[in-house]
Amino acid sequence: MMIGMNTDTCDPAELATLREIFGPRPEAAPPAGWEAVRSFEAEHGIVLPEPYRTFVAEVCDGLRAGPPYCGLLPFAQAPADWGSGRPERLLAEPFPLTEMWLWENDGNDEGALSEQELEARTDAACDHGSLLLGTDGCGMYWHLVVTGPQRGHVWLIDEYGAMPFGTSPGTSPMPGTPGFTGWVTHWARGRTWFAGAPGDGPEEPAR
């Protein structure tokens, strides 16, 4: 877990950044309100991490323009392509990962997990302890971790594996400022998600 991330108290500077990004957009969905947020938390046995918690209660609860490509989801919804017949999403169960995991490799290496073990671990990564923020299509889903050591971090999970957004250049395919505000700010500045992709440049701290 990144040191110094405060997920229990909303930083006024971060909230101001989020208001600046979403406030001018007339298509932004209105905030959900504190009653809806607290009801959702009680139903699922969690407390949403800050500043996302205050953001959906007071600023905005969804934006079709993004982030990500297919739009920022309202906090209680799943993407239209999430599909049916999937395991129940258990937000109160800790998100199991603390570092990038490419599970396609675990099916090929000597001593790899069995098919049943791999399925159980991938199901937990996809469905335990995270809220769905949206999708970039092609099975690429963005998750906000709400329970466990990675609480407050944003992860990209697809058919190949799972990786966190926001680490130092050279240590992750997606360097940047960790957390919801860092992720949103990265998108608002028109940066690509992956290091070395066209249009990617030095990361600037969120204001």
Side-chain angles (χ1 to χ4, degrees):
M1 182 177 182
M2 301 293 179
I3 297 173
M5 180 180 289
N6 182 359
T7 59
D8 297 320
T9 304
C10 185
D11 182 342
E14 289 196 54
L15 189 60
T17 295
L18 293 170
R19 289 188 188 277
E20 182 179 341
I21 292 171
F22 289 92
R25 296 178 176 270
E27 74 277 21
W34 283 109
E35 182 177 353
V37 168
R38 291 181 179 119
S39 176
F40 178 85
E41 291 175 334
E43 177 184 354
H44 292 278
I46 62 165
V47 175
L48 296 175
E50 295 287 5
Y52 180 80
R53 185 175 191 253
T54 299
F55 168 75
V56 295
E58 298 184 0
V59 179
C60 171
D61 189 27
L63 178 67
R64 185 171 297 179
Y69 179 77
C70 295
L72 181 65
L73 289 168
F75 77 96
Q77 292 188 16
D81 64 350
W82 186 246
S84 58
R86 300 185 65 143
E88 181 184 1
R89 307 207 72 246
L90 302 174
L91 274 61
E93 288 290 325
F95 182 73
L97 305 180
T98 56
E99 58 185 23
M100 182 173 67
W101 176 34
L102 299 180
W103 45 69
E104 62 171 349
N105 295 338
D106 279 340
N108 301 322
D109 295 341
E110 184 178 352
L113 298 171
S114 69
E115 183 176 344
Q116 293 78 11
E117 290 172 328
L118 183 60
E119 183 177 356
R121 289 192 63 187
T122 55
D123 283 350
C126 292
D127 298 307
H128 289 182
S130 69
L131 199 68
L132 290 161
L133 294 174
T135 175
D136 274 321
C138 300
M140 301 171 65
Y141 298 102
W142 291 94
H143 296 240
L144 174 69
V145 178
V146 299
T147 315
Q150 285 284 298
R151 184 172 182 263
H153 287 265
V154 175
W155 282 63
L156 178 64
I157 302 179
D158 61 17
E159 62 180 312
Y160 303 108
M163 63 185 71
F165 171 80
T167 54
S168 301
T171 64
S172 169
M174 292 192 293
T177 302
F180 181 71
T181 305
W183 179 71
V184 168
T185 303
H186 193 93
W187 165 81
R189 290 175 176 156
R191 301 188 185 281
T192 59
W193 296 121
F194 293 95
D200 187 51
E203 181 69 12
E204 302 173 25
R207 289 179 291 171

